[in-house]
């Protein structure tokens, strides 16, 4: 349902964020389209109905008007916005069908545009967010979406995007943290107080590379309180809900850390990815990736191909 002339007249963006909204109206995607088509009100890229139906109004590499200063920045980056039907006061939760639709859009944005699988840590930080998170995304602040959907974003929608992007089932929306902060066993190896071994050193080195270090010495093979505090920073960096940031690794948290920052880092190319997008995701350049992978033509990478990372 392309909105014209906006879809052709607005400037291009390089999408680095996805921001979820509620439209404060119980409208279908068609009704939302008609409203924006016939008025001067701010438009979004996508609309999602109560039944999970999805419409797209603006191309994802074109600016839309719903995210204030996140729409387009001086460096050409911008945010893709997703409106969703709601009651008139932003108070109702997303329906199960809407949650599924939001996850589908999030996974597509990750696979097609390389949006990193993390919750935005600042107004300009690449990742996923909701409109109310930063004043810069609105005119000084907003209640959109309401409390129920804000909770769903952290407990259901964002974890669902991460799980679905990895080809895994959507996790329990209320996973239980390790209440005692004790050791856990992941892939046959112990992590937490009392753990020791080369795998603890490897984890610590990855935390240092990820910018999460709380080490004064080391890291070393014996688990210390510095390992706990450093891993807690990694959990917070992922945007995990506060009660789960206990400093004790969860399987998905640890595997992502080692995949992105471990001693032997690799990336498996997904459909639609470019070398430039992959390089940006890991904080390097396409020239570096092309060199270490011996790519004669950096424009030719294929889904399923494994790339070495610096």
């Amino acid at each position: 349902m392309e909105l014209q002339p906006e879809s052709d007249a607005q400037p291009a963006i390089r999408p680095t964020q996805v921001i979820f909204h509620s439209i404060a109206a119980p409208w279908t995607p068609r009704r939302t389209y008609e409203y924006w088509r016939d008025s001067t009100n701010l438009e979004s890229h996508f609309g999602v109905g109560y039944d999970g139906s999805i419409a797209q109004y603006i191309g994802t590499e074109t600016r839309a008007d719903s995210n204030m200063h996140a729409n387009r920045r001086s460096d050409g980056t911008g945010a893709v916005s997703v409106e969703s039907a709601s009651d008139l006061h932003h108070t109702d939760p997303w329906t199960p069908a809407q949650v599924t639709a939001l996850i589908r859009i999030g996974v597509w944005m990750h696979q097609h545009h390389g949006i990193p699988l993390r919750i935005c840590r600042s107004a300009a930080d690449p990742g996923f967010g909701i409109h109310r998170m930063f004043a810069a995304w609105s005119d000084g602040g907003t209640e959109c979406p309401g409390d129920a959907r804000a909770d769903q974003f952290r407990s259901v929608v964002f974890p669902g995007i991460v799980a679905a992007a990895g080809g895994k089932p959507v996790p329990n929306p209320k996973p239980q943290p390790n209440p005692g902060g004790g050791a856990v066993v992941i892939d046959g190896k112990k992590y937490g107080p009392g753990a020791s071994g080369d795998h603890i050193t490897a984890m610590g080195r990855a935390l240092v590379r990820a910018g999460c270090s709380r080490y004064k010495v080391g890291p070393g093979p014996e688990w210390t309180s510095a390992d706990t505090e450093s891993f807690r920073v990694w959990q917070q960096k992922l945007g995990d809900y506060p009660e789960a940031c206990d400093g004790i690794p969860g399987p998905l948290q640890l595997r992502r850390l080692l995949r992105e920052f471990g001693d032997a880092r690799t990336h498996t190319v997904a459909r639609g990815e470019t070398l430039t997008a992959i390089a940006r995701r890991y904080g390097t350049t396409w020239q570096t990736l092309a060199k270490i992978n011996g790519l004669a033509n950096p424009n030719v990478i294929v889904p399923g191909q494994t790339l070495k990372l610096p």
Side-chain angles (χ1 to χ4, degrees), residues 154 175-178 181 228-250 253:
R154 288 189 174 272
Q176 297 299 311
N178 187 354
T228 301
E229 292 308 310
S230 298
F231 205 90
R232 190 194 313 276
V233 176
W234 172 245
Q235 292 169 324
Q236 293 169 342
K237 198 171 185 178
L238 292 177
D240 286 339
Y241 38 92
E243 62 269 26
C245 297
D246 58 2
I248 303 301
Q253 297 166 343

Side-chain angles (χ1 to χ4, degrees), residues 1-124:
M1 303 180 192
E2 187 174 36
L3 286 167
Q4 290 291 3
E6 289 89 347
S7 190
D8 288 338
Q10 297 234 40
I13 63 169
R14 176 168 56 84
T16 58
Q17 295 173 326
V18 175
I19 302 176
F20 297 110
H21 302 245
S22 291
I23 199 169
W27 290 347
T28 65
R30 168 63 63 177
R31 177 67 184 91
T32 300
Y33 164 74
E34 292 169 349
Y35 177 72
W36 283 333
R37 181 196 62 192
D38 300 334
S39 73
T40 58
N41 286 274
L42 306 182
E43 74 278 347
S44 284
H45 294 85
F46 294 96
V48 175
Y50 274 129
D51 62 355
S53 55
I54 299 172
Q56 184 173 357
Y57 311 116
I58 301 283
T60 52
E61 294 182 79
T62 301
R63 179 190 188 275
D65 289 329
S66 61
N67 305 304
M68 199 64 177
H69 300 299
N71 292 329
R72 189 179 191 276
R73 305 180 183 87
S74 59
D75 63 357
T77 63
V80 167
S81 48
V82 184
E83 285 287 359
S84 52
S86 71
D87 63 22
L88 301 179
H89 306 288
H90 299 296
T91 55
D92 60 336
W94 281 307
T95 67
Q98 284 179 305
V99 168
T100 298
L102 297 180
I103 290 172
R104 287 179 58 201
I105 293 171
V107 171
W108 185 87
M109 288 297 301
H110 167 68
Q111 294 175 340
H112 190 73
H113 289 300
I115 307 298
L117 295 172
R118 68 170 179 242
I119 294 176
C120 298
R121 299 161 295 184
S122 69

